[in-house]
Amino acid sequence: MNVQEVLNWLNDFATLITDNKDYLSDLDTSIGDGDHGNNMLRGVIAMQQQLTEKQPTTIGDIFKVTAMALMSNVGGASGPLYGSAFMAMSKKANESEVLADLILAGANGIQARGKAELNEKTMIDIWFAVANALQVKQLTQRVIDDAIAATKNLQATKGRASYLGERSIGHLDPGTVSSGYLFTAMMNNLQGELA
Amino acid sequence: MISLILVSHSKMITDGLKQMIDGMANNSNVNAISAGGIANGDFGTNPITIYDAIMTELQSEKILIFTDIGSAVLSAETAIDMLESELQNKVHLVDAPLVEGAFITAVQITDLSCLNDVIAEVEAI
C-alpha cells in the first residue's frame, strides 16, 4: 500500500459519496434527521481540499488530514465518529501498514467514541465485519453488501434512530451505507492488500 | 474564573445564550464562550471549535462544557480527548440541559468551593 493508492482510495470514496448524496439523505430521512448525505458531502469536499493543500507524504498523515477534515465539517455524529476512526488509523499507521490492522484500529476508534455494541444498527457493525474479513483475507464486495443488508432487520438502540424504537426496523442504517462506500472504494484501490 | 463553553447545533442558540449570561447573570467570575454550529453557518457541532474554545480559556480554574443533543456530546467528548491529560482534569462535560444548566451555573458560581454543589444541582434538572 503506498501513498498514491491511499489517496486514490479516498478520492473514490468522495466520488461515491457525491454520487449517492441524495440516497444517503433519503435513508436518513426514514430513521434520522435526513442530512447524512449533505453532511458527508461537506466532509469529503473538505477532505479533498485539505489533502490537496497539505500534500501529506505518509499514510499516517493522510489519515490525520482526513480525520481533521471530516471531524470539522461533517457536523452530525458521523463527524466525530469518522474522525475518531481515521485518527485511530493514523496512529496505527505509524506502527503497521497492514490493512487489516488499520481497519480494526478504526473500528475500535469508532466504538470508543460512540460506545455502541455490535448489532445496535450502527456503523461499527460493518467496520468489524470488514476488519474480521480482512484478517482472514476474505474481504469481498459480498461481505460489504451483506453487512449493509444486515442492518435492515435490526432495531436501533443507539443514536437518533433509537428514538424510533421498533419503527427503525426495516430501514438500512445510513452510516453503515456510507461506510460501505469507503470499503468498496478501498477494495477497488487496494486489491494487492486483500489477498 | 470559571469558563462555560456552550455547544449547540445552532450558533445562534449559543450566541444568544452567551448574550443572556453576559447580560443577565451579571457574574464577573464567569466567562461564557459560544462554540455552536459549524463553518459557514450550517447546523452541526465541531470538535475542533470546542477544542479551540477550551484552549482560549486555559487561565481559568475550571472549564465547564454545556451541550444540547446527540453529536454535541460526542463532539465535546472528542475535544476533551484531544487535550493533554493534565488539562483534561480541568474540564468537565456537564450533563444538564444547555440553557437552564449554563444559566443557573452562571448565576450561582462564586468560586471553586461551590462548584460541585452547583454542578450536582444542574445535573439533577
Side-chain angles (χ1 to χ4, degrees):
Chain A
M1 172 164 50
N2 62 42
V3 164
Q4 194 55 51
E5 285 171 334
V6 174
L7 289 172
N8 293 344
W9 162 21
L10 294 173
N11 276 322
D12 279 4
F13 171 51
T15 304
L16 284 172
I17 293 290
T18 307
D19 292 348
N20 294 285
K21 170 185 79 88
D22 293 338
Y23 173 58
L24 288 173
S25 285
D26 285 349
L27 291 175
D28 196 27
T29 301
S30 306
I31 57 170
D33 47 8
D35 59 2
H36 190 61
N38 289 322
N39 285 354
M40 289 304 294
L41 179 66
R42 195 168 48 222
V44 296
I45 288 172
M47 173 188 80
Q48 285 186 303
Q49 273 171 355
Q50 292 181 24
L51 286 172
T52 307
E53 276 169 27
K54 297 187 175 161
Q55 304 266 330
T57 54
T58 66
I59 292 168
D61 282 349
I62 293 173
F63 289 152
K64 194 170 178 182
V65 170
T66 300
M68 297 299 275
L70 294 177
M71 220 183 267
S72 324
N73 292 283
V74 171
S78 310
L81 292 170
Y82 272 104
S84 297
F86 278 101
M87 200 55 93
M89 287 161 64
S90 167
K91 284 186 188 147
K92 190 71 189 178
N94 296 327
E95 8 171 313
S96 164
E97 289 186 359
V98 175
L99 191 57
D101 295 347
L102 293 172
I103 300 302
L104 181 61
N108 286 326
I110 298 174
Q111 187 166 34
R113 171 68 49 233
K115 300 178 190 76
E117 300 296 328
L118 286 173
N119 297 321
E120 290 187 313
K121 200 181 183 93
T122 73
M123 40 196 288
I124 69 161
D125 293 350
I126 192 170
W127 278 75
F128 279 110
V130 169
N132 292 339
L134 281 170
Q135 208 78 50
V136 292
K137 308 264 183 209
Q138 288 186 352
L139 180 65
T140 59
Q141 187 63 43
R142 180 73 191 269
V143 170
I144 296 170
D145 294 341
D146 285 353
I148 293 169
T151 64
K152 196 161 191 168
N153 294 321
L154 291 173
Q155 178 173 341
T157 53
K158 270 276 181 244
R160 175 86 63 122
S162 66
Y163 302 159
L164 296 175
E166 285 181 5
R167 280 184 291 133
S168 66
I169 298 172
H171 301 283
L172 294 177
D173 174 55
T176 301
V177 176
S178 64
S179 293
Y181 295 140
L182 178 70
F183 296 129
T184 296
M186 179 184 84
M187 285 198 32
N188 292 342
N189 287 283
L190 298 177
Q191 276 298 331
E193 308 295 318
L194 303 178
Chain B
M1 180 69 80
I2 313 283
S3 296
L4 313 181
I5 296 182
L6 313 172
V7 183
S8 163
H9 288 60
S10 159
K11 186 170 186 297
M12 286 177 74
I13 287 181
T14 54
D15 283 351
L17 180 56
K18 176 184 161 48
Q19 266 186 357
M20 189 170 126
I21 288 171
D22 289 349
M24 290 173 66
N26 197 22
N27 185 341
S28 59
N29 297 314
V30 164
N31 187 33
I33 299 108
S34 166
I38 56 172
N40 65 35
D42 282 341
F43 294 121
T45 62
N46 177 353
I48 312 299
T49 304
I50 303 167
Y51 173 85
D52 289 343
I54 295 170
M55 296 308 280
T56 62
E57 296 303 301
L58 294 182
Q59 78 292 348
S60 285
E61 291 153 285
K62 197 79 185 176
I63 299 169
L64 305 179
I65 306 181
F66 293 86
T67 62
D68 57 6
I69 49 171
S71 74
V73 181
L74 277 187
S75 291
E77 287 171 347
T78 306
I80 294 170
D81 275 357
M82 290 164 69
L83 299 169
E84 303 289 331
S85 48
E86 67 265 29
L87 276 178
Q88 288 176 342
N89 299 327
K90 206 179 229 200
V91 181
H92 180 75
L93 177 56
V94 184
D95 182 13
L98 171 62
V99 176
E100 291 85 346
F103 188 75
I104 292 170
T105 302
V107 170
Q108 296 200 1
I109 288 269
T110 49
D111 54 48
L112 277 184
S113 65
C114 62
L115 184 73
N116 288 341
D117 290 341
V118 175
I119 290 177
E121 184 187 331
V122 298
E123 288 194 336
I125 296 174

